[in-house]
Amino acid sequence: MIYGALEAGGTKMVCAIGDENGNIKEQVKFPTLTPEETMPQIFDYFKKNNVAALGIGCFGPIDLIKESPTYGSITSTPKQGWSGYNIVNAAKEALGVPVGFDTDVNGSLLGEMTWGCAKGLTDAIYLTIGTGIGGGVMSNGKLLHGMLHPELGHFPIGILPGDPGKSVCPYHDDCFEGLASGPSIKARWGKSADQLADNTEVWELESTYIAKALATYTVTLSPQKIILGGGVMHQEQLFPLIRKKFKEVINGYIKTKELEDLDNFIVPASLHDDQGILGALKLGIDAANE
Ligand code: ADP
Ligand code: ZN
């Protein structure tokens, strides 16, 4: 059986077809323009491939409440033309197959739970640090939705003393995303994050924010593992810095086997940047079996 996977992002749409064992047969990308321009190409692609179901991991915020009249739509995005667009209804109408739907980050976590480093766990977090900061949460073996879905980037982290930057979040003047996303690094230091690899001051500050955030998630959600993905986390020197500072923040208060082994607790994504598309594939497989 062939399933469709769509990783719907604010800049690009990644489409793939694959089987129930997580083998991706083909992957294509389309730029994210307006829904009218972009979606017909995507639906044509999946139609041509005769997919049995489609899974969508989507940028947000999105409406994930199955009983809601607007279930399946993108809600308050500033992205031109997408606010209120019901991507699930459009896909069902165009393809006539079951459609699975979740946030992009829950999708990435599902990919890691199914075929990656969160396999066999019951509680884990996937955090992406890129253009924005967002996170997916698995609690008791299930992806957490709650009233909407977690928004792990938008809690008040507090600006660190001596930080020359200011929040880039239009909603909050001291949230984690506002102070530690890729664009906030660029705004603070005048160069994009990938061009600052050698500037130790940048990664000292960045790792302090990330460690504080991970400690906050650890005490509130009690994960067995935290997986870090997204463009900024390609700076591998962040990992040892984050683990060291995380340990200082927790300060011995929580004693578990997981926290005794931070190299296996705070880890990079394990699926070579395919975690998002593989998660979308699993959303499709699950939708077909519902
Ligand atoms: P998106 O979040 O838009 O899906 P990414 O996860 O690639 O895409 O995040 C893009 C952000 O990550 C940009 O702010 C960019 O500067 C930053 N970034 C991309 N690659 C690197 C890198 N190798 N090192 C540090 N930052 C990077
Ligand atoms: Zn914010």
Side-chain angles (χ1 to χ4, degrees), residues 153-155 167 169-178:
H154 293 273
F155 72 94
S167 173
C169 175
Y171 292 89
H172 312 116
D173 58 15
D174 67 347
C175 76
F176 180 34
E177 175 173 302

Side-chain angles (χ1 to χ4, degrees), residues 61-257:
I62 55 179
D63 187 346
L64 282 174
I65 308 296
K66 287 241 165 89
E67 299 73 36
S68 157
T70 53
Y71 168 80
S73 58
I74 296 155
T75 57
S76 50
T77 178
K79 181 109 191 123
Q80 189 70 37
W82 291 89
S83 188
Y85 177 69
N86 196 316
I87 194 167
V88 171
N89 284 355
K92 280 186 179 158
E93 212 163 285
L95 303 173
V97 297
V99 176
F101 185 54
D102 213 320
T103 61
D104 45 6
V105 277
N106 263 350
S108 293
L109 178 56
L110 184 61
E112 294 285 356
M113 286 156 58
T114 314
W115 292 296
C117 68
K119 208 172 160 180
L121 303 181
T122 57
D123 294 81
I125 293 172
Y126 177 90
L127 190 74
T128 180
I129 306 181
T131 305
I133 298 184
V137 177
M138 167 174 58
S139 183
N140 275 328
K142 283 194 169 159
L143 293 170
L144 182 66
H145 295 123
M147 61 163 188
L148 178 68
H149 48 73
E151 280 288 357
L152 299 186
H154 293 273
F155 72 94
I157 198 161
I159 190 150
L160 289 169
D163 179 356
K166 83 183 212 321
S167 173
V168 297
C169 175
Y171 292 89
H172 312 116
D173 58 15
D174 67 347
C175 76
F176 180 34
E177 175 173 302
L179 293 166
S181 58
S184 85
I185 296 174
K186 185 168 185 194
R188 183 189 288 110
W189 306 103
K191 275 193 219 167
S192 72
D194 55 304
Q195 290 167 356
L196 290 161
D198 297 334
N199 187 331
T200 50
E201 208 186 339
V202 172
W203 308 109
E204 272 299 316
L205 188 67
E206 181 70 9
S207 60
T208 306
Y209 279 119
I210 298 172
K212 275 184 88 169
L214 302 196
T216 305
Y217 307 148
T218 300
V219 295
T220 50
L221 294 163
S222 200
Q224 296 158 307
K225 198 182 277 293
I226 300 178
I227 304 159
L228 299 175
V232 173
M233 290 314 303
H234 287 137
Q235 295 295 320
E236 286 174 12
Q237 76 261 37
L238 277 169
F239 282 91
L241 290 169
I242 293 166
R243 292 184 191 114
K244 176 171 160 276
K245 290 172 189 205
F246 174 88
K247 195 170 175 198
E248 288 164 12
V249 182
I250 297 289
N251 201 23
Y253 179 62
I254 298 174
K255 295 181 176 51
T256 60
K257 65 177 186 342

